[in-house]
Amino acid sequence: MKIAVFVGSLQQNSVNKKLAGTMEKVAGERMEFEYIDVNLPLFNQDLEENYPVEARRVKDAVETADGILFVMPEYNRSVPGVLKNAIDWASRPWGTNSFKGKPAGVVGGSIGPVGTAVGQSDMRHIAAFLEMEMLGQPELYLANATHDMFDEQGIMKDERWYKNITEYVRVFGDWVESHKK
Ligand code: FNR
């Protein structure tokens, strides 16, 4: 199964990149992760007639994927702008929303005690509007996320979290599989 993975952080040393990397490792042969480059120009309707090639690439990756995975930090209790911008690009032009009908999942990690729960809730509103088939349960909020939780390869080393991540990946894989045409 091909999964288009949106990591909502541009910073080099990102806990969400490590969370995504751990999920990729756990998924093994079952899923092929295609990381979406979310470092895109700011969405501007004036550019819709001549869609930027980077944004077109995102639309193509979403359209050919079996499932979509969002791995996001929470910024000011919402979805990071860089991620929302990438979603806006792939949702346009009007009538060509690339996400429509795609099975999707959202997880995330942040330094705060609620571990992106509030931001993920906003993400679910966006996903519902874009007619994604968003996995409801389990939820994965990597609370109090720090780099010490991961080894030098960027893989989760806390056993309890590793188990939670493994369970999420298993159910997400089943979810995507159940939507395969
Ligand atoms: C944050 N951070 C943050 N954390 C949180 O739990 N709730 C929040 O609302 C916010 N808001 C926020 C806004 C902005 C602009 C920044 C830069 C940061 C902290 C954030 O969780 C922390 O920096 C994470 O490590 C970001 O994820 P990555 O980049 O490491 O994946």
Side-chain angles (χ1 to χ4, degrees):
M1 288 184 286
K2 194 180 115 183
I3 309 298
V5 182
F6 288 75
V7 180
S9 173
L10 293 179
Q11 75 169 322
Q12 199 80 38
N13 198 20
S14 147
V15 291
N16 285 281
K17 285 181 181 166
K18 292 178 181 177
L19 174 57
T22 303
M23 295 176 88
E24 183 177 15
K25 177 174 184 253
V26 167
E29 302 272 284
R30 192 178 187 198
M31 297 175 213
E32 183 197 331
F33 276 27
E34 181 175 356
Y35 289 94
I36 304 297
D37 185 359
V38 295
N39 197 356
L40 300 169
L42 284 177
F43 180 81
N44 176 344
Q45 256 189 294
D46 291 342
L47 302 178
E48 279 193 310
E49 276 181 26
N50 198 1
Y51 236 64
V53 63
E54 313 92 297
R56 168 55 55 194
R57 222 176 274 138
V58 176
K59 283 185 77 65
D60 290 346
V62 169
E63 284 165 23
T64 57
D66 299 302
I68 315 293
L69 179 63
F70 299 100
V71 186
M72 52 172 280
E74 174 180 275
Y75 277 5
N76 301 315
R77 292 282 182 259
S78 191
V79 178
V82 72
L83 177 57
K84 179 62 164 54
N85 184 56
I87 293 170
D88 289 345
W89 274 118
S91 73
R92 297 289 301 181
W94 174 248
T96 70
N97 163 24
S98 302
F99 293 109
K100 189 178 164 82
K102 293 280 175 185
V106 58
V107 299
S110 71
I111 194 76
V114 294
T116 72
V118 186
Q120 285 192 41
S121 171
D122 279 2
M123 184 65 224
R124 286 178 184 278
H125 288 217
I126 296 166
F129 179 73
L130 292 175
E131 298 183 280
M132 292 184 224
E133 299 287 332
M134 182 61 91
L135 176 66
Q137 298 287 337
E139 297 163 303
L140 198 127
Y141 306 126
L142 183 62
N144 306 121
T146 60
H147 292 285
D148 318 341
M149 290 178 162
F150 300 89
D151 68 16
E152 298 79 59
Q153 278 72 50
I155 304 300
M156 173 57 70
K157 57 183 191 191
D158 179 289
E159 273 179 37
R160 244 189 56 223
W161 277 116
Y162 194 88
K163 222 172 122 211
N164 290 341
I165 292 167
T166 303
E167 177 60 7
Y168 186 93
V169 169
R170 184 186 68 75
V171 179
F172 175 68
D174 291 349
W175 180 248
V176 175
E177 220 156 68
S178 73
H179 288 80
K180 243 185 143 180
K181 288 176 184 124

